[in-house]
Amino acid sequence: GLLDQAESHYETALSLNPQQAQTWGSLAVVYTKLKKIARAQTSLEKAISIDPSLPHFYFNLAMIFEFQKDYVHQAFLKIHL
C-alpha cells in the first residue's frame, strides 16, 4: 500500500543522505502507522541525534514510550527537556 511505498522512499532517501533529521522523523511516523514501533523509536532517536532542537521528535518519542508503557524513558525525557 501507500505506507509501504512511503517507507521504501524514505529509506532510499536516507541511504543517499542519512543526515536528514526531518526524513528520519517522517520515516518514524510511517513506521508507527505500520506498527513497526521499535523501528519508529530508533528513527526518532536518530533524528534527535542529528537535530535535538526540534520538539516534535521528542513528543513523538514520548508517544511511543507511552504506547510501550515505558515510563522510565518518559521520566528521562521530562528530566532532560
Side-chain angles (χ1 to χ4, degrees):
L2 293 178
L3 287 174
D4 295 315
Q5 289 177 9
E7 176 185 16
S8 177
H9 290 300
Y10 284 130
E11 288 173 345
T12 298
L14 288 167
S15 73
L16 298 172
N17 186 354
Q19 295 303 309
Q20 293 296 315
Q22 289 288 0
T23 305
W24 282 109
S26 296
L27 179 59
V29 171
V30 171
Y31 281 149
T32 301
K33 290 182 180 193
L34 290 170
K35 308 286 191 256
K36 296 180 179 182
I37 303 304
R39 287 185 179 185
Q41 179 178 338
T42 300
S43 295
L44 285 166
E45 290 168 348
K46 181 68 175 173
I48 290 167
S49 74
I50 294 167
D51 189 349
S53 70
L54 298 173
H56 60 282
F57 295 150
Y58 295 96
F59 176 81
N60 290 346
L61 189 57
M63 296 305 294
I64 287 174
F65 293 150
E66 174 66 21
F67 176 78
Q68 295 174 319
K69 303 298 183 206
D70 190 340
Y71 300 116
V72 172
H73 280 105
Q74 284 183 34
F76 176 82
L77 282 175
K78 287 180 183 176
I79 292 169
H80 287 88
L81 290 181

